[in-house]
Amino acid sequence: MIVTDEIRPRARPNASAGDRAWPYYPELLAKPVPRYTSYPTAAEFGPDFSGDALAAALDMVGELEPISLYLHIPYCQEICWYCGCNTGAANRSTRLAGYLAALKRESELVGARLGGRGRVRRVAFGGGSPNAISPQQFAELVATVEMAFKLDNPVLSVEVDPRGFDADWARTLGKANVSRVSLGVQTFAPRLQAAIGRVQPIDAIRETVSLLRDAGAASINFDLMYGLPGQSDADLTDTLERALELSPDRLAVFGYAHVPHLIPRQRRIDGSALPDGSSRFHQAELAYLFLTQAGYEPIGFDHFARPKDALAIAARRGGLRRNFQGFTEDDAKVLIGLGASAISEFPDRLLQNEKNAGRYRELISEEAFAVARGVWRNEEDRQRGAIIAALLTQGNAVLPGGLDLVSELAALAPFEDAGLLARGERTLRLQPAALPYARSIAAIFDRYRTDSAACFSAAV
Ligand code: SF4
């Protein structure tokens, strides 16, 4: 695709509920499927892993190998009812300070094990809400990372809850050279905000965006949701219009996954008011049409970016990747997760820290790495993971010769028959209308998926 300019203001994208970009085949979307932020997925993690596995992986990091860091802050000022994150209320300052002390110590322990090897090119702060801590505490955390690791002009990104954001925070992010910020917006409709337990006036979001721009944030992302209880197409259109008035550089548009049997806090949400599968599908389609008509480029299956945003540039150049933070242009093969429940990724293993913040602190206080679960990735996993990632990020994949894929190719037939997929001898190419089916097609190459997938979300 040739892109010549930034988004030009338009009177208004004219996508409406009746417009169609995708054919709807509910039978091809019937099975819940993973989001594939890794392969194997976290559902395959087992308990036979300890800090030794992390120590050995760190010992294999090369002198100048690119590293990405992720620091998890599992606290929020207010807990949203829909949220599936590992997070708790930030209402006890001693607990929070104790957690941050452990996070800093873990950074120092990992940095010491690396002994100057590796070059950190990205540092992401997520949660939870990193702005549940104070700006001063955040600045101290950044200083710890700078001391503990060898940095190579890293890109810093932070997830922000607009409800607790202020000028002091904006100044702190500016001083730390944070260039990317993701805001949890979800919906601008007040009655839907009340229905999902996240009330935040649009003025708070407008103010947050303005402060962030003044502080030098080059890329601002909005997370939005469709499929919310009682959400109409008109609600979604209104939210998209209001979002574009604030000119985000990126948007991620997620379908709400209602799984109260797995996420007890969702029991407060009225499941009887949820849109049905067909309505969800067409809401995803409406968002796609609206944002692409407004000049955003579709990135993977649920992200959108301005043509000049780094994510869009990477996607056009074939450099889009998928990791635990979703779609990214980060190509580091080593991602080190710090904090409770954080996941580290190495070519041959995925390792997850202890999820419980109290037990995480105990492990770190014993000067031990806090790994509690994980999975090894063998050659077949890597090959299958490459197919899945290529389908989700590029829309096409080359099938390696050494893999036995007879049953997988047979399972693709309904997607081919529906015109969603073109198959060569060893190549697969998703057709443009296959975007909402991408995860379902990719899941065919997941050797761990049987029919069990109650713990995954709807494909759209
Ligand atoms: S602010 Fe974000 S992380 Fe915190 S509870 Fe709400 S959705 Fe979850």
Side-chain angles (χ1 to χ4, degrees):
M1 186 186 305
I2 296 172
V3 176
T4 54
D5 204 353
E6 270 280 10
I7 292 175
R8 297 181 186 87
R10 295 185 187 180
R12 174 181 189 278
N14 57 6
S16 65
D19 292 345
R20 294 286 170 260
W22 304 327
Y24 182 45
Y25 302 111
E27 67 281 8
L28 298 182
L29 296 168
K31 211 188 269 186
V33 283
R35 298 187 61 77
Y36 291 114
T37 51
S38 72
Y39 182 81
T41 73
E44 274 63 65
F45 288 8
D48 299 330
F49 289 82
S50 68
D52 291 347
L54 178 62
L58 293 173
D59 290 348
M60 289 189 279
V61 170
E63 193 65 30
L64 300 177
E65 183 153 0
I67 292 178
S68 297
L69 298 180
Y70 170 77
L71 285 86
H72 188 70
I73 297 168
Y75 298 102
C76 296
Q77 292 297 349
E78 297 174 59
I79 302 296
C80 314
W81 301 346
Y82 60 86
C83 178
C85 296
N86 174 39
T87 191
N91 51 6
R92 285 172 41 201
S93 56
T94 41
R95 188 176 62 166
L96 217 123
Y99 178 81
L100 290 176
L103 189 53
K104 288 186 205 162
R105 187 64 195 135
E106 186 188 19
S107 303
E108 291 165 353
L109 291 172
V110 171
R113 187 81 193 197
L114 283 169
R117 285 172 295 107
R119 294 293 177 269
V120 173
R121 297 201 178 152
R122 286 170 192 270
V123 187
F125 297 85
S129 305
N131 60 315
I133 64 177
S134 71
Q136 164 86 20
Q137 287 170 320
F138 179 79
E140 289 169 8
L141 205 48
V142 172
T144 300
V145 167
E146 287 171 348
M147 291 289 290
F149 297 92
K150 288 270 191 198
L151 307 187
D152 181 8
N153 195 22
V155 174
L156 265 63
S157 62
V158 179
E159 294 171 9
V160 159
D161 182 348
R163 294 171 296 182
F165 198 77
D166 58 17
D168 200 9
W169 255 108
R171 268 190 302 276
T172 302
L173 296 187
K175 268 193 207 152
N177 282 326
V178 170
S179 58
R180 300 190 182 177
V181 178
S182 181
L183 300 182
V185 174
Q186 320 310 353
T187 173
F188 286 114
R191 80 172 200 295
L192 297 182
Q193 291 185 355
I196 59 171
R198 182 174 186 139
V199 175
Q200 49 184 17
I202 186 167
D203 285 347
I205 293 162
R206 189 176 290 120
E207 172 71 5
T208 299
V209 170
S210 168
L211 289 169
L212 287 169
R213 294 276 187 224
D214 289 348
S219 181
I220 296 179
N221 173 77
F222 284 2
D223 283 350
L224 302 179
M225 287 204 291
Y226 64 86
L228 295 172
Q231 188 177 29
S232 66
D233 291 348
D235 290 323
L236 181 59
T237 304
D238 183 67
T239 282
L240 291 164
E241 284 175 348
R242 288 170 186 267
L244 294 205
E245 283 167 19
L246 302 178
S247 298
D249 303 278
R250 303 177 184 180
L251 298 108
V253 187
F254 301 116
Y256 167 58
H258 191 61
V259 284
H261 57 292
L262 299 174
I263 304 172
R265 56 175 80 116
Q266 290 186 348
R267 289 187 196 133
R268 301 180 73 176
I269 293 178
D270 179 6
S272 70
L274 291 169
D276 63 15
S278 167
S279 302
R280 283 174 65 90
F281 183 89
H282 292 306
Q283 287 186 351
E285 186 177 41
L286 173 61
Y288 172 87
L289 283 167
F290 192 99
L291 293 173
T292 52
Q293 285 178 11
Y296 285 81
E297 294 188 7
I299 307 293
F301 54 80
D302 57 8
H303 282 46
F304 301 85
R306 286 175 177 244
K308 283 192 177 172
D309 188 89
L311 200 59
I313 293 169
R316 289 197 298 276
R317 291 178 177 162
L320 189 64
R321 302 281 183 271
R322 190 142 175 85
N323 68 16
F324 292 107
Q325 279 136 60
F327 289 105
T328 173
E329 75 276 23
D330 181 4
D331 60 0
K333 293 189 170 54
V334 173
L335 192 154
I336 300 174
L338 302 163
S341 79
I343 298 174
S344 296
E345 180 172 359
F346 299 89
D348 67 345
R349 68 197 76 179
L350 297 163
L351 305 170
Q352 184 170 33
N353 275 354
E354 167 60 49
K355 287 184 184 176
N356 179 279
R359 284 199 292 275
Y360 161 79
R361 282 175 57 187
E362 271 170 36
L363 284 163
I364 298 296
S365 73
E366 292 161 10
E367 301 283 292
F369 293 133
V371 171
R373 303 167 71 224
V375 67
W376 297 107
R377 289 205 282 210
N378 62 24
E379 182 55 23
E380 180 173 347
D381 291 327
R382 283 195 285 273
Q383 289 182 329
R384 287 177 179 271
I387 297 170
I388 290 169
L391 287 170
L392 297 181
T393 57
Q394 325 293 345
N396 58 67
V398 176
L399 306 179
L403 274 185
D404 175 6
L405 296 173
V406 173
S407 61
E408 286 83 351
L409 294 179
L412 290 173
F415 295 93
E416 285 181 83
D417 294 346
L420 299 171
L421 183 69
R423 183 145 72 86
E425 197 176 336
R426 296 221 70 88
T427 58
L428 299 175
R429 178 173 294 278
L430 303 189
Q431 300 303 295
L435 206 64
Y437 301 90
R439 283 164 61 203
S440 301
I441 293 169
I444 288 172
F445 294 92
D446 180 346
R447 73 185 170 110
Y448 300 99
R449 293 281 78 68
T450 54
D451 283 332
S452 62
C455 56
F456 297 109
S457 58
V460 170

